[in-house]
Amino acid sequence: MELEKVSNIDNLYWLTTGRREELGTKNKTPGRTFYGERRTWVNGCELRIWNPYRSKIAAAIHRRTPISIRKTDEILYLGAATGTTLSHISDINTEGITYAVEVSPTSASKLLTLCEARENIIPMLEDAEKPRDYQGIVGEVDIIYQDIAQRNQAEIALKNTELFLKEKGELILTIKARSIDVSSNPRDVLRRELERLEERVKISHIKSLKPYHRDHYITIARVKD
Ligand SMILES: C[S@@+](CC[C@H](N)C(=O)[O-])C[C@H]1O[C@@H](n2cnc3c(N)ncnc32)[C@H](O)[C@@H]1O
């Protein structure tokens, strides 16, 4: 097996065996897993395998989307669910903080197990549509990652970007076309969402997450100058 660091993302590696490529994050809590993920050990380092079918950011990295995450980054994560992707983000920004917003009490309660083991996550049972409710806790962040299946995904992202994203920070937004409008062509839905976003942020990249997530796209954007 060959090991190669993923450029621009700390603590993340490509593991290559023949033609098979997998991602692995360096386990911040060696010996512990969180959702039944596989692990592998290379040169004494424990890596948790990050499955692109279970995480849209992992899928985006497999699709070679130029995402950057530093170990010191402060991140606002909207739609953390039970923490599958969040656990890998926590492996990456080991010296930063992730504010993890989740509206479902059932999912948020499962998040607590992860947060008890990881001091770099602050879980918040909040509605991402009402960012002023958590303005007292969250400061300016380097990255906003949003993975929320709602009709008004763009609007939620913009509200949070305006309150929390640093001037040179990045918004990483997953767009689930079918959550916005099941009856329209996903490409038309995407175009309309992008037009909405472009009124207020500058989009640098858009990628389809096929074959990992059907009718899903990821976009990277910055605050307009
Ligand atoms: C697709 S799941 C997220 C999966 C997660 N990002 C992962 O990769 O492990 C979407 C989550 O967004 C949450 N959600 C939906 N609307 C929300 C809102 N307004 N505020 C916060 N969370 C919300 C849902 O409860 C659900 O847990």
Side-chain angles (χ1 to χ4, degrees), residues 11-172:
N11 297 311
L12 179 64
Y13 297 86
W14 285 115
L15 300 150
T16 312
T17 315
R19 294 179 65 178
R20 184 164 123 162
E21 272 188 327
E22 291 184 303
L23 287 169
T25 54
K26 188 173 168 191
N27 194 351
K28 181 173 158 58
T29 46
R32 285 199 68 166
T33 56
F34 296 95
Y35 60 95
E37 68 276 27
R38 277 188 298 121
R39 284 172 293 169
T40 190
W41 287 260
V42 185
N43 303 330
C45 172
E46 183 180 319
L47 297 163
R48 298 193 305 123
I49 304 299
W50 198 5
N51 183 338
Y53 290 95
R54 297 196 62 175
S55 166
K56 282 149 219 149
I57 288 212
I61 297 164
H62 271 267
R63 298 278 285 109
R64 302 306 196 260
T65 312
I67 288 171
S68 297
I69 312 176
R70 301 287 172 205
K71 62 183 175 192
T72 51
D73 278 347
E74 306 244 320
I75 300 174
L76 173 60
Y77 188 138
L78 305 172
T82 54
T84 303
T85 296
L86 176 63
S87 70
H88 292 281
I89 299 287
S90 156
D91 280 343
I92 294 169
N93 70 337
T94 47
E95 295 170 27
I97 287 282
T98 302
Y99 301 94
V101 174
E102 173 52 54
V103 78
S104 150
T106 316
S107 297
S109 70
K110 291 192 186 145
L111 262 184
L112 293 180
T113 317
L114 173 67
C115 300
E116 276 161 15
R118 307 279 182 128
E119 82 294 339
N120 63 346
I121 303 172
I122 299 181
M124 298 191 300
L125 178 60
E126 294 282 0
D127 182 348
E129 295 202 37
K130 298 176 187 159
R132 293 214 177 268
D133 288 359
Y134 43 87
Q135 204 175 7
I137 301 170
V138 180
E140 282 207 313
V141 296
D142 302 286
I143 294 174
I144 294 179
Y145 174 55
Q146 180 177 311
D147 181 18
I148 285 181
Q150 292 284 358
R151 285 181 71 84
N152 56 342
Q153 289 163 54
E155 190 195 321
I156 296 174
L158 289 171
K159 276 187 195 171
N160 281 275
T161 297
E162 278 168 11
L163 278 186
F164 303 116
L165 195 61
K166 284 184 185 167
E167 207 182 308
K168 297 228 177 296
E170 279 189 343
L171 165 68
I172 305 172

